[in-house]
Structures are given as structure tokens and as C-alpha cells.
Amino acid sequence: MGLEYRRLGGEPQLQGGTMMRGFISSMVTVASVATMMTALPAWAATSDKAITVVLAVELDSLDPCDTQPAQNANVVRGNVFESLTHVSPVSGKIEPLLAESWKQTSDREWEFKLKKGVKFHDGTDFNAAAAAANIMRTQGGPNYAGIACLNSGQIPDPVKAEAVDDLTLKVTTSVVDPILPLRISYVDIGDLASQSKPAKVLNPVGTGPYKFVSRKQGDSVKLTRFDGYWGAAPQIKDVTYIVRKEATVRASMVETGEAQIALSIQAQDATDDDRTVTFKDNRIFVMRPMTFKEPFKDPRVRQALSYAVDRGTIVPAILGVTGAPYYQMLGPQVNAYIPDYDEKLAMKYDPAKAKELIAAAKADGHPVDTPFDIVTRPDILPDGGELVQAIAQNLKEVGLKVNIRSMENTAWREFLRQPFPAEQPPTLQMISHDNTSGDASFSFPKYITCKGINSAICNPEIDKLVAEAEVASGDKRAELYRKAAGILYQQAGFIGIAEQIRLIMLGEGVEYKANPLSGLEIKIADVRLKD
């Protein structure tokens, strides 16, 4: 019998979709491919029209195994590349995409039946061998050592993928993994046949409704409609992506007709009509203290960080409608979310308490006056620079010595990931973290476990709970993740600051219904231009 996973509970989105909480498996047959998100409305007749999309951050990779970061996914995911499965932003269910169906044949074996007649953009057939190659490559398999795929963290334990026949794929996991079909949704499929050696793809070839035309480094990326697409043809023919770092400039380009879609708009640039689209994508603005170095070795100093930040004042004052005070790492649709935490348990603004904790740590011999760097990016969120400055001022007011270091994405990422250089100063890293999967396994193993690539904390009790949750399902899985989250927050290993609300601006005559995945992927096939 096929296994399908879905998320339950939650609250309505601002636009399009329902935010889901929890994560359980239900033993039902996978839904018909007719329900896929790639299906287009009847009005979407093809045209020769083109659009320009203006982004806040330039993509740094065109490779199918680097689509986890939003700056890459916004261009290629769902447009150039597709995956075997897909998370529905409306229902939260795992839906078929390039896979027709799947079933679990034993504790560690899964069988996927693939869609027939799918072509890559170069005319070659998509088949089980291509799917297997991409799965093995994404996780850095034996033939792809040294690739360093950014999506590799979505498959934390090695799996073996192999073609049974052209349209049958077998995936064998090294551990019991009840959410494998969800993990597979993070493996985007590219045609690797043209790769003569294990290197990153520069001229991507996928199965999506748009094919790659060109990239001008630092300027633009161009796509065009793929006439051999297996699904319904999108309305828009050509797409050009350009980058403008200033939110006001992005908004202005849409106002003047230079662009038709602008991402990451600030509240002050929003229109008061339906051309400004709002949505939540479970993106939380958090602080990650480097717990391995002073002054953050003592959890009391880390707790003081939370008590010092006046979220209730600075978040609405600076972010306006694009943010709300928040105290956890993950949003309410993720199964590690702790109900009532913000109201009953959160370390809310109390500067006197912060000073008390810092003094207690100092009395026990901790060098609490050690200077540290707030590591951030200009694009971390709309008006993020001003918010970080306000946070720094709050921290200084309780006696901490703070320096702001704002850097571009590549340099910022070097501070994010292990191994941390011995000479690296103590840091408080600003992170805008999203989890649209509904399952904490896409956040916790890499962010809060001892060996997590993005982790700056090591707590054996957290590791034990996360490991137990990874092989559990349903309510038990959620319970274990919530326990791990409770320890993390009590230890102030991650400190929530604001839940983000995202804004997209549309040009005249452009229709697009945002959903919880819109922060990660804008499918041009879902965009309509009125006649």
C-alpha cells in the first residue's frame, strides 16, 4: 500500500493556502496527478508575452542540487527543475510530480513509479536512471564526491537509489525514515548526462515548463517556455530575472512598468490594492549565539540576550505589517512548534533580568565583557539593517559589548557553517529561517545537533531526542521534537525575534496568488497576464 504524508492542524494564511501543524503518516493511495500544483487554470492560453522579475539577491548557483537557498530556488525551482514529489502549499500533502505514485515495500525500501513521456529540455528522456543519479549526486554519493550540494542536508542519512526499469525507482534508506517521500521533494532533477566530470552545473537542463537561455553574471538570468513540457503549457513565454538590492528600487520598477513582479517589498512601498500580495512562509528571524565561545558559553548570558531585546517595540515599529514579535525558531505549522510558548514560557523583554543574569555569570568567572560580532546581511529581511541596529542598541543597554558586521551572502554563510575557524571571534548570527515542509527534521539536525553543519550548540540530550524523533512518526515524532525545542529555548541556543510576513508587488494586469511556498519558489506558470 502506498504511503502519503500530510500535516494537520494550523491556521489560515494571509493569501492562498492553509498553514499546517504536526506531521503524521496516513496509509492511503497517493493522489492522482491531476491534483498537482503544476496544473494550470483554463484561462492560461499561451502567448508571446514576456515578464521581468526583480529579485533582492542574485542567485549563486544554477545547479539542481543547490535549490534549497531561496535566491536559487526563486529562479529555477518549479520553473527549470522539478522533483519526484512536491509539498502542496494548499493542503500540506505530499503530491506526485515526476513520480506517479510510491509505496513502502519494507522498513527501509521504497518503490517509486515515474511519469511516462517526460522529456528533458535537450530532448532526452527522463527515466529512473536519471532520477537515481540526481538522488545520489545531491547527497554526495560515490561518483559525485566533492560536489558539496546545498540540498544535501535534506537527506541527512545516506540512501541508495537505483533504477529497476525505465519507470521504476528503488530507494533504500540506511535508517528507518518514515518521511522519505517528503525528503525526495528536495531533490530537483537535472539532466546529468552532459556532465563529463563531477562539477557544478552551469547550463542547467531540467524537465520544467521553462528552459534556461542565458546568465549574465551580476546582471540577469533569462528563461523561455519549453514547448516540449509534459504538462500544461504556461501562458508567459519569456522571463528575465534581474537583481536590485534596494527594496524601494524594486517597488519603483514595478510602478513604472520596468518589471512585472518584485520580491521582498518593504511595508512603506506597499500599495493599498491587490497589486501588493502578502503571505506567510513560516520564515522566522532568529539569533544564533556561538555557544562554544565566551561570552556565550554560559546559558545565562544567552538567556540575557532574549530578555534584552524589546521585540514588542522595535519589531512593529521597524517592520510594520511585515513582522510580528516571536520567540521560537519554527512556525506553527511545524511539528516542533510549542503551543502557548510565546504567551507562557518565553523570555520576554526584561532588561533588569538580563542584567541580573549577566552579573551572575560574571560572578562565576565568565568574561561577560568579551566583545562579540553580530553577523548579518543587508538582505536578511526588509528593513533588516535598522532592526539589527535596534537589537544591538538593546544589547548594549544591558552591558554587552556589540559590534555589527554586515556582509554579503557568501561571506555570511562562512560564519554560519561548521567547522568554525579557531580564530573566528564570538558571533551572534542573524538568520532568516524558513521551514515549509511541516517537519522539524528539515531544521533541527543541521541547526541544533552537535554535528549539524549550521549548529553552534552541542547538547547530548537534544541530540538524543532528535535521533529518536527521526525514526518515529505521527504524534510521537512531534512530541520528541517539541521536547528538543523546549531544551533549545531554555538554553537559548536559538532566540526568536520576529515572524516574517512577506510582500510581493505585482504590475498592472499581473495576477498571482501567493502561497506558503512563494518565498522559496515563484512558479511563472502560476502567473497570469491579463489581455
Side-chain angles (χ1 to χ4, degrees):
M1 178 176 289
L3 291 181
E4 179 180 90
Y5 294 87
R6 59 194 180 97
R7 292 169 281 155
L8 299 182
E11 58 190 44
Q13 282 287 18
L14 294 179
Q15 292 278 338
T18 301
M19 298 182 72
M20 302 293 179
R21 182 185 307 153
F23 194 91
I24 68 170
S25 60
S26 64
M27 299 186 66
V28 296
T29 304
V30 176
S32 165
V33 73
T35 67
M36 290 188 300
M37 291 301 296
T38 51
L40 295 177
W43 44 254
T46 59
S47 72
D48 291 330
K49 294 181 179 180
I51 65 169
T52 296
V53 180
V54 57
L55 310 171
V57 185
E58 183 183 8
L59 87 171
D60 53 25
S61 175
L62 288 163
D63 196 288
C65 77
D66 285 342
T67 58
Q68 177 61 13
Q71 67 266 21
N72 300 333
N74 276 330
V75 177
V76 296
R77 191 155 216 258
N79 294 318
V80 176
F81 300 124
E82 298 174 311
S83 48
L84 297 183
T85 63
H86 180 74
V87 178
S88 166
V90 177
S91 69
K93 294 180 180 179
I94 306 303
E95 297 181 334
L97 197 54
L98 294 179
E100 289 271 13
S101 63
W102 54 86
K103 62 182 179 181
Q104 189 170 10
T105 56
S106 69
D107 283 349
R108 299 189 183 186
E109 286 191 356
W110 296 76
E111 181 182 273
F112 292 80
K113 291 294 185 180
L114 307 185
K115 175 172 285 298
K116 183 178 181 180
V118 176
K119 297 282 186 181
F120 284 107
H121 299 153
D122 59 5
T124 59
D125 291 331
F126 162 73
N127 54 31
N134 278 270
I135 292 171
M136 299 306 293
R137 182 176 182 269
T138 296
Q139 60 184 325
N143 297 325
Y144 304 103
I147 294 268
C149 292
L150 298 179
N151 294 12
S152 62
Q154 312 310 318
I155 307 178
D157 297 298
V159 304
K160 179 182 179 182
E162 52 191 326
V164 176
D165 55 44
D166 275 357
L167 298 178
T168 306
L169 174 73
K170 183 172 79 170
V171 180
T172 305
T173 63
S174 56
V175 299
V176 176
D177 188 356
I179 64 164
L180 180 73
L182 174 59
R183 297 195 192 283
I184 293 297
S185 73
Y186 289 91
V187 178
D188 282 315
I189 306 296
D191 183 4
L192 305 177
S194 60
Q195 293 290 106
S196 58
K197 57 182 180 180
K200 286 296 180 73
V201 170
L202 301 178
N203 295 290
V205 177
T207 63
Y210 287 89
K211 62 182 180 180
F212 174 74
V213 176
S214 64
R215 179 188 184 188
K216 187 176 181 181
Q217 193 83 26
D219 181 67
S220 62
V221 175
K222 295 185 177 181
L223 309 179
T224 191
R225 186 171 56 218
F226 175 42
D227 291 334
Y229 183 53
W230 60 270
Q235 180 197 26
I236 295 165
K237 181 180 180 183
D238 298 311
V239 190
T240 300
Y241 295 89
I242 60 175
V243 177
R244 297 293 184 268
K245 295 180 181 179
E246 300 81 8
T248 300
V249 172
R250 293 194 295 275
S252 177
M253 291 183 68
V254 172
E255 292 281 7
T256 61
E258 295 176 78
Q260 285 66 52
I261 300 176
L263 306 188
S264 299
I265 296 302
Q266 294 179 347
Q268 62 265 31
D269 297 316
T271 60
D272 58 2
D273 56 23
D274 58 5
R275 289 184 300 137
T276 297
V277 181
T278 63
F279 67 97
K280 291 183 181 180
D281 61 353
N282 185 37
R283 185 172 294 272
I284 312 298
F285 184 62
V286 295
M287 304 191 302
R288 188 203 69 177
M290 171 61 70
T291 70
F292 306 139
K293 294 188 176 185
E294 298 288 9
F296 299 132
K297 285 186 176 181
D298 192 311
R300 291 172 293 187
V301 178
R302 305 196 299 267
Q303 292 165 356
L305 296 172
S306 185
Y307 284 116
V309 178
D310 187 6
R311 299 166 184 79
T313 298
I314 65 175
V315 171
I318 296 172
L319 298 186
V321 299
T322 65
Y326 206 76
Y327 297 86
Q328 302 189 48
M329 176 185 174
L330 299 172
Q333 76 271 37
V334 183
N335 54 3
Y337 176 79
I338 303 175
D340 300 327
Y341 178 86
D342 287 17
E343 293 77 17
K344 297 179 180 180
L345 300 172
M347 300 174 192
K348 296 186 178 182
Y349 182 56
D350 187 342
K353 180 69 172 178
K355 291 177 181 178
E356 177 186 324
L357 290 166
I358 293 169
K362 183 176 182 178
D364 288 340
H366 289 277
V368 298
D369 57 351
T370 302
F372 61 91
D373 291 337
I374 292 181
V375 177
T376 187
R377 305 192 321 253
D379 62 289
I380 197 76
L381 75 169
D383 287 323
E386 189 177 349
L387 182 62
V388 172
Q389 290 174 12
I391 291 171
Q393 182 60 35
N394 281 168
L395 299 182
K396 290 176 182 178
E397 289 168 356
V398 299
L400 297 172
K401 295 184 177 181
V402 182
N403 174 56
I404 297 176
R405 293 184 63 181
S406 182
M407 57 193 66
E408 297 302 317
N409 184 60
T410 301
W412 174 89
R413 191 179 291 161
E414 291 178 0
F415 282 85
L416 178 69
R417 293 181 170 178
Q418 294 197 36
F420 302 114
E423 66 276 12
Q424 178 177 306
T427 60
L428 179 63
Q429 188 131 11
M430 300 292 154
I431 300 172
S432 177
H433 177 65
D434 70 280
N435 182 326
T436 55
S437 71
D439 194 83
S441 65
F442 291 90
S443 298
F444 279 3
K446 63 183 177 182
Y447 275 101
I448 71 170
T449 61
C450 293
K451 295 183 179 180
I453 189 171
N454 296 339
S455 177
I457 188 171
C458 183
N459 183 309
E461 189 175 359
I462 289 177
D463 278 24
K464 181 176 182 293
L465 289 166
V466 171
E468 290 176 356
E470 292 295 282
V471 296
S473 60
D475 292 342
K476 181 64 176 178
R477 187 181 185 92
E479 178 188 358
L480 291 165
Y481 279 138
R482 285 195 295 268
K483 286 182 178 179
I487 297 170
L488 176 71
Y489 303 147
Q490 192 274 328
Q491 293 288 306
F494 261 84
I495 302 165
I497 298 295
E499 180 185 30
Q500 295 178 235
I501 299 166
R502 314 266 273 173
L503 304 181
I504 297 174
M505 184 175 285
L506 307 177
E508 291 288 350
V510 179
E511 292 185 355
Y512 173 71
K513 189 175 182 180
N515 61 66
L517 295 179
S518 292
L520 185 64
E521 55 184 61
I522 301 289
K523 293 185 177 181
I524 303 303
D526 293 337
V527 178
R528 178 191 179 187
L529 300 181
K530 296 179 182 177
D531 293 335

